[in-house]
mmCIF file of all heavy atoms in Angstrom:
data_model
loop_
_atom_site.group_PDB
_atom_site.id
_atom_site.type_symbol
_atom_site.label_atom_id
_atom_site.label_comp_id
_atom_site.label_asym_id
_atom_site.label_seq_id
_atom_site.Cartn_x
_atom_site.Cartn_y
_atom_site.Cartn_z
ATOM 1 N N VAL A 1225 -88.446 -50.415 9.122
ATOM 2 C CA VAL A 1225 -87.253 -50.768 8.273
ATOM 3 C C VAL A 1225 -87.547 -50.407 6.850
ATOM 4 O O VAL A 1225 -86.527 -49.808 6.194
ATOM 5 C CB VAL A 1225 -86.882 -52.257 8.607
ATOM 6 C CG1 VAL A 1225 -85.714 -52.664 7.492
ATOM 7 C CG2 VAL A 1225 -86.479 -52.452 9.953
ATOM 8 N N ARG A 1234 -83.729 -45.829 -3.250
ATOM 9 C CA ARG A 1234 -83.869 -44.760 -4.318
ATOM 10 C C ARG A 1234 -82.563 -44.086 -4.484
ATOM 11 O O ARG A 1234 -82.217 -43.953 -5.740
ATOM 12 C CB ARG A 1234 -84.918 -43.806 -3.981
ATOM 13 C CG ARG A 1234 -86.442 -44.490 -4.031
ATOM 14 C CD ARG A 1234 -87.398 -43.485 -3.629
ATOM 15 N NE ARG A 1234 -88.767 -43.937 -3.774
ATOM 16 C CZ ARG A 1234 -89.790 -43.405 -3.243
ATOM 17 N NH1 ARG A 1234 -89.681 -42.167 -2.798
ATOM 18 N NH2 ARG A 1234 -90.996 -43.992 -3.448
ATOM 19 N N LYS A 1235 -81.837 -43.691 -3.506
ATOM 20 C CA LYS A 1235 -80.682 -42.994 -3.801
ATOM 21 C C LYS A 1235 -79.583 -43.898 -4.441
ATOM 22 O O LYS A 1235 -78.829 -43.399 -5.291
ATOM 23 C CB LYS A 1235 -79.995 -42.473 -2.398
ATOM 24 C CG LYS A 1235 -78.733 -41.724 -2.538
ATOM 25 C CD LYS A 1235 -78.405 -41.145 -1.162
ATOM 26 C CE LYS A 1235 -77.079 -40.227 -1.235
ATOM 27 N NZ LYS A 1235 -76.671 -39.694 0.015
ATOM 28 N N ARG A 1254 -64.534 -43.054 -26.393
ATOM 29 C CA ARG A 1254 -63.459 -43.849 -26.804
ATOM 30 C C ARG A 1254 -63.659 -44.399 -28.219
ATOM 31 O O ARG A 1254 -62.800 -44.323 -29.069
ATOM 32 C CB ARG A 1254 -63.194 -44.924 -25.822
ATOM 33 C CG ARG A 1254 -62.711 -44.526 -24.481
ATOM 34 C CD ARG A 1254 -62.259 -45.640 -23.674
ATOM 35 N NE ARG A 1254 -61.687 -45.201 -22.407
ATOM 36 C CZ ARG A 1254 -62.509 -45.216 -21.173
ATOM 37 N NH1 ARG A 1254 -63.766 -45.682 -21.242
ATOM 38 N NH2 ARG A 1254 -61.976 -44.773 -20.099
ATOM 39 N N THR A 1266 -62.698 -36.971 -39.754
ATOM 40 C CA THR A 1266 -63.057 -36.255 -38.642
ATOM 41 C C THR A 1266 -64.465 -36.653 -38.160
ATOM 42 O O THR A 1266 -65.354 -36.749 -38.959
ATOM 43 C CB THR A 1266 -63.158 -34.646 -38.888
ATOM 44 O OG1 THR A 1266 -61.923 -34.224 -39.429
ATOM 45 C CG2 THR A 1266 -63.647 -33.863 -37.776
ATOM 46 N N GLY A 1278 -88.468 -29.926 -31.529
ATOM 47 C CA GLY A 1278 -89.433 -31.127 -31.642
ATOM 48 C C GLY A 1278 -88.980 -32.398 -30.993
ATOM 49 O O GLY A 1278 -89.821 -33.292 -30.961
ATOM 50 N N GLY A 1298 -66.107 -20.952 -43.781
ATOM 51 C CA GLY A 1298 -66.397 -19.684 -43.342
ATOM 52 C C GLY A 1298 -66.250 -19.561 -41.814
ATOM 53 O O GLY A 1298 -66.229 -18.335 -41.307
ATOM 54 N N GLY A 1322 -82.971 -41.297 -14.988
ATOM 55 C CA GLY A 1322 -82.606 -40.657 -13.670
ATOM 56 C C GLY A 1322 -81.235 -39.896 -13.787
ATOM 57 O O GLY A 1322 -80.879 -39.251 -12.791
ATOM 58 N N VAL A 1324 -78.650 -37.425 -16.544
ATOM 59 C CA VAL A 1324 -78.497 -36.673 -17.864
ATOM 60 C C VAL A 1324 -77.085 -36.449 -18.209
ATOM 61 O O VAL A 1324 -76.323 -36.260 -17.204
ATOM 62 C CB VAL A 1324 -79.450 -35.537 -17.837
ATOM 63 C CG1 VAL A 1324 -80.883 -35.809 -17.601
ATOM 64 C CG2 VAL A 1324 -78.866 -34.618 -16.692
ATOM 65 N N GLY A 1333 -67.816 -29.834 -14.663
ATOM 66 C CA GLY A 1333 -69.016 -29.884 -13.892
ATOM 67 C C GLY A 1333 -70.175 -29.053 -14.319
ATOM 68 O O GLY A 1333 -70.064 -28.393 -15.312
ATOM 69 N N SER A 1337 -69.938 -19.257 -15.288
ATOM 70 C CA SER A 1337 -68.911 -18.349 -14.841
ATOM 71 C C SER A 1337 -68.991 -17.843 -13.483
ATOM 72 O O SER A 1337 -68.086 -17.429 -12.882
ATOM 73 C CB SER A 1337 -68.825 -17.095 -15.772
ATOM 74 O OG SER A 1337 -70.076 -16.431 -15.721
ATOM 75 N N LEU A 1358 -82.821 -31.970 -39.367
ATOM 76 C CA LEU A 1358 -83.669 -32.707 -38.478
ATOM 77 C C LEU A 1358 -83.935 -34.092 -39.095
ATOM 78 O O LEU A 1358 -84.133 -35.118 -38.317
ATOM 79 C CB LEU A 1358 -84.996 -31.961 -38.278
ATOM 80 C CG LEU A 1358 -84.927 -30.728 -37.359
ATOM 81 C CD1 LEU A 1358 -86.290 -30.041 -37.238
ATOM 82 C CD2 LEU A 1358 -84.404 -31.127 -35.962
ATOM 83 N N ALA A 1371 -85.580 -30.522 -43.753
ATOM 84 C CA ALA A 1371 -84.353 -30.141 -44.045
ATOM 85 C C ALA A 1371 -83.829 -29.082 -43.055
ATOM 86 O O ALA A 1371 -82.872 -28.349 -43.205
ATOM 87 C CB ALA A 1371 -84.195 -29.555 -45.422
ATOM 88 N N PRO A 1383 -58.540 -36.944 -37.434
ATOM 89 C CA PRO A 1383 -58.050 -38.332 -37.856
ATOM 90 C C PRO A 1383 -56.833 -38.833 -36.983
ATOM 91 O O PRO A 1383 -56.537 -40.074 -37.121
ATOM 92 C CB PRO A 1383 -57.648 -38.052 -39.294
ATOM 93 C CG PRO A 1383 -58.525 -36.911 -39.740
ATOM 94 C CD PRO A 1383 -58.741 -36.151 -38.547
ATOM 95 N N ALA A 1393 -62.300 -30.599 -23.666
ATOM 96 C CA ALA A 1393 -63.615 -31.080 -23.851
ATOM 97 C C ALA A 1393 -63.967 -31.830 -22.524
ATOM 98 O O ALA A 1393 -63.234 -32.667 -21.983
ATOM 99 C CB ALA A 1393 -63.535 -32.082 -24.929
ATOM 100 N N ALA A 1395 -67.458 -33.515 -20.512
ATOM 101 C CA ALA A 1395 -68.893 -33.981 -20.491
ATOM 102 C C ALA A 1395 -69.251 -34.374 -19.003
ATOM 103 O O ALA A 1395 -68.660 -35.155 -18.374
ATOM 104 C CB ALA A 1395 -69.083 -35.176 -21.387
ATOM 105 N N THR A 1420 -72.983 -19.192 -5.192
ATOM 106 C CA THR A 1420 -73.555 -18.084 -5.550
ATOM 107 C C THR A 1420 -74.616 -18.153 -6.679
ATOM 108 O O THR A 1420 -75.311 -17.266 -6.895
ATOM 109 C CB THR A 1420 -72.391 -17.138 -6.147
ATOM 110 O OG1 THR A 1420 -71.724 -17.797 -7.229
ATOM 111 C CG2 THR A 1420 -71.367 -16.857 -4.924
ATOM 112 N N PRO A 1426 -74.783 -33.234 -5.886
ATOM 113 C CA PRO A 1426 -73.386 -33.792 -5.671
ATOM 114 C C PRO A 1426 -72.966 -35.060 -6.289
ATOM 115 O O PRO A 1426 -72.001 -35.447 -6.442
ATOM 116 C CB PRO A 1426 -73.441 -34.020 -4.056
ATOM 117 C CG PRO A 1426 -74.853 -34.193 -3.778
ATOM 118 C CD PRO A 1426 -75.606 -33.273 -4.719
ATOM 119 N N GLN A 1428 -72.700 -36.437 -9.335
ATOM 120 C CA GLN A 1428 -72.233 -36.133 -10.893
ATOM 121 C C GLN A 1428 -70.752 -36.435 -11.119
ATOM 122 O O GLN A 1428 -70.067 -36.561 -10.242
ATOM 123 C CB GLN A 1428 -72.354 -34.669 -11.106
ATOM 124 C CG GLN A 1428 -71.499 -33.615 -10.303
ATOM 125 C CD GLN A 1428 -71.631 -32.271 -10.776
ATOM 126 O OE1 GLN A 1428 -71.089 -31.885 -11.750
ATOM 127 N NE2 GLN A 1428 -72.520 -31.400 -10.095
ATOM 128 N N VAL A 1433 -61.484 -35.042 -21.532
ATOM 129 C CA VAL A 1433 -60.892 -35.578 -22.625
ATOM 130 C C VAL A 1433 -59.632 -34.844 -22.854
ATOM 131 O O VAL A 1433 -59.817 -33.622 -23.209
ATOM 132 C CB VAL A 1433 -61.581 -35.838 -23.732
ATOM 133 C CG1 VAL A 1433 -60.908 -36.377 -25.033
ATOM 134 C CG2 VAL A 1433 -63.069 -36.428 -23.565
ATOM 135 N N VAL A 1442 -61.996 -39.582 -15.371
ATOM 136 C CA VAL A 1442 -63.353 -39.369 -14.833
ATOM 137 C C VAL A 1442 -63.107 -38.747 -13.450
ATOM 138 O O VAL A 1442 -62.336 -39.308 -12.572
ATOM 139 C CB VAL A 1442 -64.188 -40.682 -14.730
ATOM 140 C CG1 VAL A 1442 -65.434 -40.337 -14.024
ATOM 141 C CG2 VAL A 1442 -64.354 -41.172 -16.184
ATOM 142 N N ASP A 1446 -65.892 -34.046 -5.827
ATOM 143 C CA ASP A 1446 -64.855 -33.659 -4.802
ATOM 144 C C ASP A 1446 -63.414 -33.478 -5.384
ATOM 145 O O ASP A 1446 -62.649 -33.006 -4.821
ATOM 146 C CB ASP A 1446 -64.785 -34.859 -3.802
ATOM 147 C CG ASP A 1446 -66.049 -35.012 -2.928
ATOM 148 O OD1 ASP A 1446 -66.735 -33.955 -2.706
ATOM 149 O OD2 ASP A 1446 -66.427 -36.082 -2.498
#
Side-chain angles (χ1 to χ4, degrees):
V1225 172
R1234 287 177 177 172
K1235 183 176 181 180
R1254 292 189 181 99
T1266 301
V1324 299
S1337 59
L1358 287 178
T1420 55
Q1428 61 175 278
V1433 185
V1442 179
D1446 295 329

